[in-house]
Structures are given as C-alpha cells and as structure tokens.
C-alpha cells in the first residue's frame, strides 16, 4: 500500500467525543489500550477509504430516512448534509486526514462529521451498525464497478467485431488439439471471443440483481428497535429491494463471490485470447503482429519484440482466480452473523475489479492495432489437410456411409503425406483410385474457399454467416 494514513496523536485523557480515539468507539469496557501492532493489524482504513463516496451516499440516505420518520430533526439532517458535503470535497481534494487510530472508513468519516457539526454527527449512527453500513457500502461500490465493466466488455466486443468484419473471409486453419483441423475464417475465430465476452456481460448483469439489495436496517445483526423505513432507504439508493433477513444481510458475501466468479471467467476468456495472440505472434506461426506500443524489447537480444501485454493479462488471470478462491475460503467457516473475517473481503474484491477494468481497457485499445497476415494464415491452412473432412462429406453425399468415407480419406491423406502434397494437388485419376465415386466436381470442395462456403448455417464459418453474426451482434450492442 503506497498511501499510509497519518496516525493521529492518541490521548489517554477521557474525552467528550466518543470517537476521540478509536478504542473509545467501544470505549469504557476496556481496561487497556490496544498495541500499535494490533491497531495496524485490525485497521482497514488503508484500503477501505476508497469506499468513502459510497459510505457518504449510504449515510445520507439513512439520515434522510431518520428525518422522515422523525428520529432526526430537520436541523440535524441539514447539518449532516452540509458536513458530509465538506467531507466529500476534502476527500476528493486529497486533503482529508485519514487516521489509522480510527480503524476504518466509517469511523474516520463519522469522527470528522462530529468535529464539523457536533451532536448531529453523533446522532447519525442511530438505528445502524458498521455491520450493515459496510455491507451497504460494498454493494454500492460493486454495483458501480459492474456499471463500468459492462460497457468496457462491449467496447472490447466492438473492437473484435470491427476486426472480424475486415476478416470475414480471411482463411486460417481452425485447430483442435492444436493440430490443423478444418479451415475457418479469422472473422469466425474472433467471433468466438465476442460470444464469450457477451456471456461475461450477461453474468455480471445477473450478479448485479442480487448485489442491488439493501442491507441497512439489519443493524448489528438482529434489526433495530427504531421504527425505521428500509424501503425508503432502498429507493433513495436505487436498490431493487431490501435484504429480507438481518443475519444474512450483515454476514454473507456471496454477492461478492459471485462477482469474483464472473470476473474470473472474464479473465479466463482474456487469458485464452492472450495465449492465442502470443502464439500467433510467434515468428514460428506469424499470423499477426501486435502494435509496438503493447510490446517490449529485450535488454540483451536486440531482435526481440515480446507480447508483454497479453502475457501479463494471462498472468493476472491467476491472481483474479486466486481472489475467487480466497473469498470462498474466507466465507466457508463463518458462523452467523458478522465476523471480522469479512474485513478481508475488500482487498481481493478491489483488486479484482481494478485488474478487470485495466485489462479490458487495454485490450479494447490493443485489438484494433492487430496486424493480420492473411498469407501466413492461408499457407498454414494449406498444410495440414484441412479439407480432409470435406472430401469425406463429399463421398457421403455420393452415397457412401460416413465411416467408409473416413477410411478412404485417411488412406488418401497417408499417400499425400508420402508424396508431400495436398489432397487438392492429386490429379483426378489419382483420386479416383481411392474411390470411383470421385468426379471432377471434387476440386470445389477440396479448396479452402469451397470448404468455408459450405458451412453455411447459423454458427458456421462461411463468410456469409460471419457477416450475419456480426450484424446481429452490432444490433445487440446498440
Ligand atoms: N471495517 C469493518 C469491515 O470491513 C467494518 C465493520 C466492522 N464491524 C465490527 N463489528 N467490527 O468489515
């Protein structure tokens, strides 16, 4: 953590302000102060201060409800609003003095509010606990992350669509087991990733529905004896409803785990794409080149241009996947209701969102700069008997059972291998030795273009279908 909060001078003298120092937040019951090490160990302000705008938003909605139901005077409510506006401005300006002694973002803001507006600040915590407060903050924050991520996924999809459109008819070998399998178009290949990122966006939007519920009102764990109006707070904060069990509301972090699971899949898809970019850029393959600004050179080997960005993205996938496992493990042994363990949810969650946002931004920027080398793709497609299946299908259409056709073509491929030539290089008479069903119409199916054009159904690689799929996606993305 680069930014460390300033540690406040702690005074041992009793104070009228219950938050004059943090241990006084739970105060009188304790006979000795916590050590500096324990303070540092238990504090979260180093990292949870980034929740501040959401903490303030939640507090204002809570205060507005308290005023509405008569638990807060209009004057106190106004004082809280004014004080919070000042606090928010100083946080945004970077002048707010975060204090380690005040443990977390919630106590730091509340203490400052009380300094600014006096007793009104102390009344804000009526009918509330940090337990429902923090759960609310994370939900508000996470909702905003999803609202940033979904358009970024769409931007990456659009970049892929643009490239796919340019290469709707560019032939490349399709692989299974990393062996040349059948010809596909590069556009079709890119569209596979458009589908993956489309499902990723769907998953995030689906998780958002469960994130968008209000914990406030659950208080510490059991609800509160005050006549509060939770629905009102939910409406003010734009939540779809309230969490309907107080114990669950303050303790479960399944919504954060769901987000991390969706994020792990996003990164897994990015990682697969990265692996392909790296492979395609290897001079041994030579299908593409990445723009120089996404690559680095070597300090010792002058000839090198390394695909650092995709490699890092592949590497960062491990860290995001790790956060998912971290959060699952954090949750699994916790009895109801809130436990301090949950404070550990934040750093993995923050890092997950940060990593995703950066990665998607950089990929949306990198994809349009991919330089495609169609000649190399075509040459590779011509090398691995990519149209062998087409020959078998041709024989089936002439009446042969598929298994027999498969056998015949396997034989033909072996002969071609011995002669170091492609199926299409064999003269008709030669081909007819494998089966008398073969006629001179066979060459249409043995060519790469013939093979592509024949896969002309929804989801197939025919250029016509690739263009139709692109059009459907453009319409979906608006
Ligand atoms: N910093 C705490 C967290 O992140 C806030 C809630 C603290 N609640 C408590 N009972 N200690 O979870």
């Amino acid at each position: 953590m680069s930014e460390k909060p300033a540690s406040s001078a702690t005074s041992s003298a009793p104070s009228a302000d219950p938050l004059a120092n943090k241990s006084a937040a739970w105060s009188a019951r304790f006979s000795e102060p916590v050590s500096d090490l324990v303070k540092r160990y238990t504090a979260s302000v180093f990292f949870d201060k980034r929740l501040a705008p959401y903490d303030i938003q939640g507090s204002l909605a809570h205060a507005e409800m308290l005023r509405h139901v008569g638990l807060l005077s209009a004057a106190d409510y106004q004082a809280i609003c004014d004080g919070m506006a000042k606090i928010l401005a100083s946080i945004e300006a970077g002048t707010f003095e975060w204090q380690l002694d005040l443990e977390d973002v919630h106590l730091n803001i509340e203490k400052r509010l009380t300094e600014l507006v006096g007793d009104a600040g102390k009344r804000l915590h009526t009918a509330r606990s940090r337990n429902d407060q923090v759960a609310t903050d994370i939900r508000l924050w996470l909702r905003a992350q999803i609202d940033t991520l979904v358009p970024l996924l769409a931007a990456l999809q659009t970049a892929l669509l643009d490239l796919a459109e340019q290469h709707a008819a560019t032939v490349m070998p399709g692989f299974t087991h990393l062996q040349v399998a059948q010809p596909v178009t590069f556009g079709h290949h890119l569209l596979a990733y458009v589908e993956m990122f489309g499902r990723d966006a769907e998953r995030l939007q689906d998780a958002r529905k469960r994130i968008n519920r209000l914990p406030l009102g659950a208080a510490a764990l059991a609800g509160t004896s005050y006549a509060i109006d939770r629905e009102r707070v939910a409406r003010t904060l734009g939540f779809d409803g309230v969490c309907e069990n107080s114990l669950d509301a303050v303790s479960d972090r399944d919504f954060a785990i769901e987000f991390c699971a969706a994020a792990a899949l996003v990164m897994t898809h990015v990682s697969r794409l990265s692996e392909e970019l790296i492979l395609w850029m290897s001079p041994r393959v030579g299908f593409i080149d990445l723009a120089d600004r996404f690559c680095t050179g070597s300090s010792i080997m002058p000839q090198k241009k390394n695909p650092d960005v995709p490699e890092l993205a592949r590497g960062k996938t491990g860290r995001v996947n790790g956060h998912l496992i971290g959060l699952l493990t954090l949750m699994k042994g916790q009895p109801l209701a809130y436990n301090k363990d949950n404070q550990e949810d934040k750093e993995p969650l923050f890092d997950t969102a940060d990593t995703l946002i950066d990665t998607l931004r950089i990929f949306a920027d990198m994809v349009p700069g991919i330089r495609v080398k169609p000649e190399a793709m075509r040459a590779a497609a011509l090398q691995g008997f990519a149209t062998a299946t087409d020959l078998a299908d041709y024989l089936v259409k002439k009446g042969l059972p598929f298994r027999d056709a498969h056998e015949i073509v396997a034989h033909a491929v072996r002969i071609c291998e011995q002669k170091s030539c492609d199926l299409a290089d064999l003269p008709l008479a030669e081909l007819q030795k494998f089966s008398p069903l073969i006629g001179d119409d066979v060459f249409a199916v043995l060519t790469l273009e013939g093979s592509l054009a024949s896969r002309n159904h929804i989801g197939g690689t025919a250029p016509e279908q690739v263009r139709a799929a692109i059009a459907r996606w453009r319409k979906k993305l608006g």
Side-chain angles (χ1 to χ4, degrees):
M1 232 8 87
S2 54
E3 297 168 80
K4 294 263 179 218
S7 184
S8 72
T10 39
S11 137
S12 51
S15 161
D17 179 354
L19 291 180
N21 62 53
K22 169 228 150 168
S23 45
W26 16 266
S27 67
R29 191 183 180 292
F30 288 78
S31 57
E32 56 174 2
V34 293
S35 73
D36 282 349
L37 178 58
V38 171
K39 246 184 229 169
R40 189 161 57 72
Y41 194 73
T42 55
S44 54
V45 67
F46 307 104
F47 49 83
D48 68 13
K49 61 182 177 182
R50 69 186 280 176
L51 291 175
Y54 304 96
D55 195 66
I56 291 171
Q57 189 188 359
S59 286
L60 289 176
H62 178 67
E64 194 277 337
M65 180 277 292
L66 291 179
R67 183 198 56 76
H68 183 77
V69 300
L71 286 166
L72 201 63
S73 70
D76 280 350
Y77 173 61
Q78 195 49 56
I80 288 171
C81 291
D82 296 345
M84 285 300 200
K86 285 190 188 128
I87 291 172
L88 187 60
S90 70
I91 291 171
E92 281 168 356
T95 55
F96 188 88
E97 205 186 309
W98 297 102
Q99 296 182 40
L100 174 70
D101 276 349
L102 290 168
E103 190 177 324
D104 58 22
V105 61
H106 323 292
L107 296 180
N108 267 270
I109 290 176
E110 194 185 327
K111 164 80 175 3
R112 181 71 189 129
L113 182 69
T114 302
E115 279 171 11
L116 287 170
V117 305
D119 280 357
K122 294 188 213 163
R123 292 201 175 98
L124 172 63
H125 214 50
T126 310
R128 186 176 77 165
S129 151
R130 275 186 296 155
N131 296 352
D132 56 349
Q133 188 178 353
V134 71
T136 304
D137 293 3
I138 305 171
R139 284 171 185 263
L140 287 170
W141 175 83
L142 202 45
R143 185 177 74 181
Q145 303 312 301
I146 290 179
D147 293 345
T148 302
L149 281 164
V150 171
L152 286 177
L153 279 167
L156 175 54
Q157 286 179 294
T158 301
L160 289 165
L161 287 174
D162 292 345
L163 194 60
E165 189 142 54
Q166 291 166 38
H167 295 283
T170 302
V171 193
M172 72 178 277
F175 297 90
T176 60
H177 314 273
L178 211 53
Q179 312 279 325
V180 171
Q182 292 172 357
V184 295
T185 71
F186 187 53
H188 191 58
H189 195 110
L190 293 172
L191 284 181
Y193 288 100
V194 174
E195 294 287 331
M196 292 179 229
F197 294 127
R199 289 194 300 277
D200 287 333
E202 253 176 57
R203 255 186 293 275
L204 286 171
Q205 273 158 334
D206 196 64
R208 191 189 191 282
K209 292 182 206 156
R210 285 172 293 282
I211 290 166
N212 207 29
R213 308 242 149 215
L214 176 77
L216 275 180
L221 76 164
T224 172
S225 57
Y226 298 98
I228 56 170
D229 182 348
R230 298 186 66 203
E231 299 287 352
R232 185 177 180 89
V233 182
R235 274 197 307 278
T236 308
L237 292 175
F239 283 117
D240 295 326
V242 302
C243 299
E244 294 198 6
N245 178 288
S246 63
L247 298 165
D248 175 47
V250 290
S251 66
D252 204 8
R253 296 289 183 267
D254 61 352
F255 62 89
I257 295 173
E258 254 191 83
F259 170 78
C260 285
L265 280 168
V266 174
M267 287 304 290
T268 297
H269 292 149
V270 167
S271 187
R272 296 186 70 191
L273 176 57
S274 297
E275 171 64 14
E276 300 215 278
L277 294 174
I278 294 161
L279 202 65
W280 293 340
M281 199 180 135
S282 159
R284 280 303 190 94
V285 177
F287 286 0
I288 63 153
D289 217 352
L290 290 179
D292 284 358
R293 65 182 189 283
F294 301 100
C295 301
T296 60
S298 157
S299 54
I300 178 167
M301 298 165 283
Q303 83 282 15
K304 297 271 283 197
K305 179 176 157 188
N306 299 326
D308 284 34
V309 166
E311 287 178 16
L312 264 176
R314 192 176 56 184
K316 284 175 191 289
T317 305
R319 133 190 202 161
V320 169
N321 290 357
H323 292 328
L324 168 62
I325 299 300
L327 286 191
L328 282 166
T329 311
L330 177 71
M331 206 69 242
K332 74 178 274 290
Q334 286 193 50
L336 293 176
Y338 177 86
N339 302 281
K340 186 79 166 182
D341 310 41
N342 281 339
Q343 183 163 291
E344 288 289 305
D345 63 359
K346 288 171 203 61
E347 285 165 294
L349 200 53
F350 294 164
D351 187 65
T352 297
D354 292 348
T355 305
L356 242 69
I357 289 171
D358 282 354
T359 303
L360 291 176
R361 276 200 184 128
I362 206 162
F363 267 65
D365 196 20
M366 185 171 65
V367 167
I370 294 176
R371 196 168 66 78
V372 180
K373 301 176 177 173
E375 333 70 50
M377 290 183 174
R378 165 173 286 274
L382 284 170
Q383 264 166 27
F385 304 104
T387 57
T389 315
D390 297 271
L391 180 55
D393 290 343
Y394 169 88
L395 291 169
V396 168
K397 284 171 196 157
K398 301 259 169 173
L400 214 60
F402 183 79
R403 281 293 157 222
D404 294 341
H406 184 280
E407 197 52 29
I408 286 171
V409 177
H411 187 58
V413 164
R414 217 178 55 207
I415 301 294
C416 284
E417 256 171 352
Q418 283 162 10
K419 299 190 169 192
S420 299
C421 71
D422 190 41
L423 287 169
D425 298 333
L426 294 176
L428 182 60
E430 201 63 29
L431 283 167
Q432 281 171 333
K433 285 190 195 152
F434 300 113
S435 166
L437 294 172
I438 296 177
D440 62 3
D441 55 346
V442 75
F443 294 104
V445 305
L446 287 182
T447 63
L448 297 174
E449 276 70 20
S451 169
L452 290 177
S454 69
R455 286 164 170 74
N456 195 12
H457 54 77
I458 188 161
T461 194
E464 190 185 327
Q465 291 298 332
V466 171
R467 290 193 185 98
I470 293 168
R472 284 196 301 275
W473 267 112
R474 290 217 195 271
K475 209 167 150 198
K476 264 189 250 177
L477 293 173

